[in-house]
């Protein structure tokens, strides 16, 4: 496939230098369907990125599209602040029936604003309010968002520097396997908590991703998560699972923490919750934590009703039974086989992942970017992650067909070969 | 009109106590069109709140609706991160042609995430980065958002307390007319800046609303804004105008600061920019401030393409000429007449506003809430604002007809009478 | 008098660039007695600075010297941590009998470490602990010390910049007469406190100097102090008077706030409390505030017993009756006459002060430094203060004779004339 | 020995509840000589605490006493701000000749105020100013002082809580042997520094005690200190050694870091520097770090001239050759033998130390306090340290005779036996 460099003039002239994905993928995208995106020049791309995990059901999923257009056509409420609406009720009922009740999860639902960072900000505020303490523990290579509260618990030094103020009230701890097993889990963390002379400000909460997406596809083991959950209970800290990228079925189960058998105190959900790529976010928490005063946290776009409509449709369509989970795990095995083959054929690459989130780490770090660049030229959208962009990250839609997965893996294998 | 209390069970059982508008308006809203909302029990409400200023063109505006459905039908990209897309280009071109170029505004456009608080966070980060200073000056009764960066420059003590950490790096200064003319404008602020012993950390920037919406419809005079702008220039501070609620034509001109003839260094825009009530936000700044590194600030929903589509449609439809501005100013006069009549008939009430944002302040503060409650029973949606909810706030859609405005004002007058 | 530039080599070679007084007074001082200092080259200087107010009873006061040498000779405890010692008891009893009881002051006494900034740090910690709030209000041109807690409530921008971190949790308010009467006292402060939307973090305490020494000899009126005290009570904030420089009789009465008839919640005392120029400091507070846990604040040199000995001697010698206060007020009148004469003879100078602390402000700001330089050449030690070093500051020992005062004033008048 | 409870009334009535040593040692001390203290009731105490390390040369050392009285008698300058004085010059020259030059140490000398916490505050300010970064790394169980800057790098949770504000800009790392060798030295710290995604704010400096006195007599190995020094150099962080308690010969050499062969960038010295128990402190730093502006950090009691006099006398008397160091090491061996015998005789006790600082840790933690209490009854002053006061801490004067040491060790052994 040959790609003509598109005329990007208005983007270059008018859009801030902060723009980023458009630089690695120099095309003007026009349409998208399922796992394919189409640019203005008629090129087709197979999408292994899925809106950074926001499009678990593919682009413009027809079932959701139908529900969405119907809703718009009939003049359903679009913008609802936090008013009660028919669409919100349908979503809440579907969420309760399909997600919370079958999993015996007791959560209250908060709509904190329609983006992941809103959900994290609300979670941190609530945890501090409940515990009366300021400090939050996060993990190495965590990513939780760009507003100041979330950024303070995000690991990336480059993004932290953007704050323009010293980021405080957060302390990083080693994520699972940070020392390749050389140090006992939570040795440092628990010792700091127990030692009255340690100098650690006692945390209100711990915030963790079960699989660190931006951080390089670092997969926490179920036993590590269980131990963390027990540590939090033992030490009177709340456990916040940030399931923004790994929730909504990405790892198989609806919530990524289900496999570990834990019940976090607070859970943040966003990205794929609307299903259609529209902004929506939830902060879930145990009912005894619901000490918010009415309006103490607010926001204009908390009630994005078209997103409620598509969200309810995804839950009713894909989460009424356990099929989606099984399918994702099966597709995950397929991806793993493909990656294992690539790693076997090439030296200096390792792979890891869970469900349908996978990473290939390159010892020769810049090669990861070269692979993505070559893959783009070959019609595949993949991105890097990790602190030095040394990991190629795979986030295909959960609805991607086995054939599409195979096609993508073939292109990836070729891109790896051609960047050797 | 009689209203049966709706069954709110799932909201009460499942949604967090933080919910708020649904308490004052105990109905389940189903559909909306123009300036009317319809609940499930068949009641109709005239909307003088317009999504807190997010629905300047009314609910489900037919022109935008057509463009939106067309886009969805043809599988236009929905979720685009910050990729270049056809829809984004159309929006950028329309924004340049209809808004920036005619006003000779040199701004670069950043998509900081789709909510107002994202736009403010990005503005504050950029200002601090540019100036290398942490401190920001805000004004009494300011409202800028709920994430930690924005909350630190927001005045409301109740919302600030929700942070759970001490909010620092911000200092409040008196908004225009805070002392009813008894103190010279900027006397305190400039003295603090000039006195090397004042103890004020030199600010990177000043953030201001031209009309404080949440703060109680406090209208800054054009000369005050000009003096502030000159002060900022003289003292090497950036001027940030938060035009999230007052922009997009609410005060007449597209930007609320146009009347004052100033050019802020940074402008935040959200709420009505998509026109259809969908999440979208912009941070605009002078090109010399565009020192962002690629990806230094990011976010999943920066590229909400359906919102680009409706946004471009609003600009092409309503802002290609000066008609909208003229109409808004005319309708504003109509509202003022109505309010003046109410104030004349009743003692203890004063009114103020600009364009189509107006407030009625009640000396007997709780009466403002009583008026809103009564208005709701009479089929009118209005809300209070101000530090003690002492102001009834009018934010009708800019597209509201003169007849609808009159109807609303009549209901309001009745509600005022009936709460005397 | 001719002064040969002394050999300063070891100071220049070994001592940090941070040294400061030695630059303006380029002599090596060897001995001192009463109000005179003697350098190694045989020059004599009349001291109008008195150790920045630490030598209210003159250098090496013979009464104190005798007590001190006796104590050392008999091997009295020198270093006592916070152990009970005979010397500490004698001091406490003398302080109670001569100072607290006659003034009906109920204070508990804390030894927070032997310097002023230790006393301020302890005061701020206690106020925050008592009120459970972080914020402290200070005043324009305040000076409270160089450690981080004290520095955050100090006004001087140059000194604040030395912190190397953003100084937070403090907010400046206008000191008395900051606007030359153009703005009603506490208008801004009280409005901020009462307005729930002001954005001011509610302060735990207010810290104030009755006369700002470093800030330029700014004298608060008694009625302003009373109004401040009432404001604090009304608004549930503690009132801290930093009497480090103005206490111990500098303004006439032992405490500088006595004239105003107020009883601050917390008082800091240092500088002249030992009387002999040895490090000692007290933090005094109302007994109901004494919620410290044993050892919660500590410090190695809290029990500087030789300083207790001289301190008790000053109290017994000078404060058993009201003579000292009367004498100081009389000497203050003498100084004022002298200064008035200088101001009458020269244009562009104004004077202000109270008791034996006085300042001459020069419209031509650099002239204040020139005057001090010329005075030094003429054998008089005086220093500048104020944010731009525009004020010549007079702090003669309280024990200075009328003749010495006249001599100093004559030199000062000559220095003023010769710098015209 | 029988001790009658003394009348403590004025202390109890007037002194703040924060007082602490006086509670464990309920006597009123009157005189002191060498290693003995005498109370008002005629009891004699052997002092194994030495003013928490401030009296390395014993109480009221006759050599220093002579110099001090001579100075006072001849009216030498007592209070000198930071003026050049004869006494200061003598001290600087002695410090250069006896301490800096023989050790080839290039330091500039700053007088930051006369207490340890002043010295630490100045060190932290300078490090931040030099590096332009806010963050400081300290170690578990560190103790650096009570003012806000120092407290933020102090480990003890009880003392930290006294701050009344969240203590930020500091991060604790594990001190040497924190995990009993189970974790490689600096594994966590260096990984955090190298990982661009770790979330650690890059530190300006590391502050460390070579032996943690308050923290429980934790002795860092020389190779650990060397590795730390190399880490700091490699990672562009300044190394601050807080030698306030361990300097001035406590561990043998004048500076405690000499044994490790490192040259810290900044060193803080206080406690025993004056030798006579009078307040004095130094901040030493490499000349290239001396970027202070004149007066940027100041303080009233920086020039405590009597302390300069005794300080110079200690250096000339004890540090002109290597005898003091040899003697201290020999006495240290004597102490170790005594402690080893105690540990051999009793189970559940371990000992550790260096030079003349030693600790005995009790598995049965409250027993350490019981031992100190019993020792007091038997006429020996010893104190506990450690996060749970589980360590009996020995800090005898360096000038204590072998016979006195033996006597003290015998009393200690008896106290241990009698608390079994």
């Amino acid at each position: 496939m040959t790609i003509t460099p598109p005329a990007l003039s208005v983007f270059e002239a008018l859009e801030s230098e902060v723009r980023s994905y458009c630089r690695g993928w120099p095309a003007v995208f026009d349409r998208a369907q399922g796992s394919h995106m189409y640019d203005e020049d008629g090129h087709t791309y197979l999408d292994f990125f899925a809106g950074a995990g926001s499009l678990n059901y593919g682009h413009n999923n027809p079932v959701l599209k139908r529900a969405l257009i119907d809703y718009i056509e009939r003049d359903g409420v679009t913008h609802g602040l936090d008013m009660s609406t028919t669409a919100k009720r349908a979503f809440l009922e579907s969420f309760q029936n399909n997600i919370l009740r079958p999993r015996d999860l007791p959560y209250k639902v908060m709509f904190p604003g329609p983006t992941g960072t809103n959900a994290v900000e609300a979670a941190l505020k609530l945890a501090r309010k409940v515990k009366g303490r300021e400090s939050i523990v996060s993990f190495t290579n965590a990513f939780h968002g760009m507003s100041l509260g979330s950024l303070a618990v995000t690991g990336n030094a480059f993004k932290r520097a953007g704050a323009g103020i010293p980021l405080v009230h957060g302390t990083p701890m080693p994520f699972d396997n940070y020392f390749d097993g050389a140090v006992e889990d939570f040795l440092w963390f628990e010792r700091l908590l127990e030692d009255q002379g340690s100098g650690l400000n006692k945390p209100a909460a711990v915030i963790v991703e079960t699989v660190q997406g931006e951080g390089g596809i670092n997969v926490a083991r179920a036993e590590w998560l269980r131990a963390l959950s027990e540590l939090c209970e033992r030490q009177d800290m709340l456990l916040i699972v940030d399931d923004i990228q790994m929730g909504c079925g990405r790892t198989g189960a609806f919530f990524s923490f289900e496999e570990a058998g834990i019940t976090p105190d607070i859970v943040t959900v966003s990205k794929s919750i609307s299903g259609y790529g529209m902004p929506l976010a939830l902060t879930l928490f145990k009912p005894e934590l619901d000490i918010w005063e009415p309006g103490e946290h607010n926001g204009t776009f908390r009630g994005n009703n078209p997103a409620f409509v598509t969200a309810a449709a995804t839950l009713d369509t894909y989460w009424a039974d356990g099929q989606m989970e099984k399918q994702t795990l099966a597709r995950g095995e397929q991806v793993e086989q493909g990656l294992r083959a690539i790693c076997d054929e090439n030296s200096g690459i390792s792979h890891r992942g869970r469900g349908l989130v996978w990473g290939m780490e390159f010892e020769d770090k810049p090669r990861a970017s070269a692979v993505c660049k070559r893959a783009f030229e070959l019609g595949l959208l993949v991105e890097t992650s990790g602190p030095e962009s040394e990991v190629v990250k795979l986030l295909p839609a959960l609805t991607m067909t086995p054939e599409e997965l195979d096609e993508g893996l073939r292109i990836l294998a070729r891109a790896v070969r051609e960047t050797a």
Side-chain angles (χ1 to χ4, degrees), chain A residues 213-226:
Chain A
E214 299 303 306
I217 315 300
N218 305 312
V219 183
R221 290 162 301 143
E223 59 263 37
W224 186 86
L225 290 169
R226 274 193 295 275

Side-chain angles (χ1 to χ4, degrees), chain A residues 20-274:
Chain A
S20 110
Y21 288 110
C22 57
R23 296 171 190 267
W25 297 331
V28 178
F29 295 93
D30 182 28
R31 288 180 311 111
Q33 225 306 304
S35 285
H36 289 91
M37 297 191 77
Y38 308 93
D39 76 13
E40 292 186 338
D41 291 340
H43 301 115
T44 301
Y45 303 86
L46 182 62
D47 186 359
F48 261 46
F49 194 54
S54 298
L55 295 162
N56 283 1
Y57 312 99
H59 290 270
N60 300 327
N61 181 302
V63 180
L64 315 181
K65 176 174 169 177
R66 194 65 268 139
L68 175 61
I69 290 179
D70 285 352
Y71 188 75
I72 298 171
E73 289 283 16
R74 78 168 185 84
D75 282 334
V77 170
T78 298
H79 184 281
L81 292 160
D82 71 350
M83 292 185 259
S84 299
T85 62
T86 307
K88 188 199 272 190
R89 185 174 53 206
F91 167 73
L92 284 171
E93 287 174 351
S94 177
F95 193 69
Q96 188 170 40
N97 294 334
N98 291 306
I99 304 299
L100 297 181
R101 197 168 291 153
R103 289 162 182 79
D104 222 4
L105 290 170
Y107 297 132
K108 295 292 285 286
V109 177
M110 174 183 180
F111 301 102
T115 72
T117 200
N118 292 129
V120 171
E121 294 269 344
L124 299 178
K125 284 164 77 168
L126 184 62
R128 286 166 164 148
K129 187 177 159 76
V130 165
K131 290 294 176 193
R133 300 194 288 263
E134 298 87 5
S135 178
I136 304 285
V137 158
S138 57
F139 289 95
T140 50
N141 289 296
F143 183 92
H144 299 292
M146 288 292 104
S147 49
L148 281 190
S150 306
L151 192 52
V153 291
T154 289
N156 191 285
F158 165 63
K159 300 222 189 293
R160 289 174 73 84
I165 57 167
L167 294 171
V168 297
H169 305 305
T171 307
M173 288 291 149
F175 192 71
D176 189 20
N177 212 28
Y178 196 60
F179 298 110
D180 301 320
V183 179
E184 190 190 323
D185 295 344
F186 306 112
L187 179 66
W188 171 233
F189 189 5
E190 186 144 28
R191 181 70 186 277
L192 280 180
L193 290 167
E194 287 183 348
D195 183 350
Q196 288 306 300
S198 71
L200 183 78
N201 294 333
K202 170 134 193 170
V206 173
I207 185 165
V208 69
E209 302 154 280
T210 61
V211 180
Q212 295 183 321
E214 299 303 306
I217 315 300
N218 305 312
V219 183
R221 290 162 301 143
E223 59 263 37
W224 186 86
L225 290 169
R226 274 193 295 275
L228 177 61
S229 175
E230 286 157 16
L231 176 65
C232 286
E233 194 166 357
R234 206 158 54 235
Q235 298 284 356
D236 184 34
M237 305 178 297
L238 296 179
L239 177 61
I240 305 170
V241 168
D242 179 341
D243 229 16
I244 290 170
Q245 193 169 66
M246 295 304 142
C248 303
R250 173 55 58 188
T251 65
F254 186 81
F255 293 115
S256 71
F257 54 78
E258 292 178 42
E259 187 194 32
I262 61 172
T263 304
D265 298 291
I266 306 181
V267 181
T268 57
V269 179
S270 182
K271 291 204 191 270
S272 275
I273 185 65
S274 87

Side-chain angles (χ1 to χ4, degrees), chain A residues 81-82 88 111-114 280-281 295 297-304 308:
Chain A
L81 292 160
D82 71 350
K88 188 199 272 190
F111 301 102
L280 187 64
H297 178 101
N298 64 12
T300 297
F301 294 112
R302 283 166 296 166
N304 189 11
F308 289 146

Side-chain angles (χ1 to χ4, degrees), chain A residues 335-352 358-362 367 413 416:
Chain A
V335 172
E336 187 177 22
Q337 285 178 17
L339 295 182
R340 195 181 313 128
I342 293 174
C343 292
D344 287 350
E345 277 172 42
N346 300 270
S347 64
I349 317 181
S350 60
H351 72 290
R352 56 189 179 241
W358 290 88
M360 278 199 302
E361 180 170 352
F362 289 80
R367 191 176 168 194
V416 170

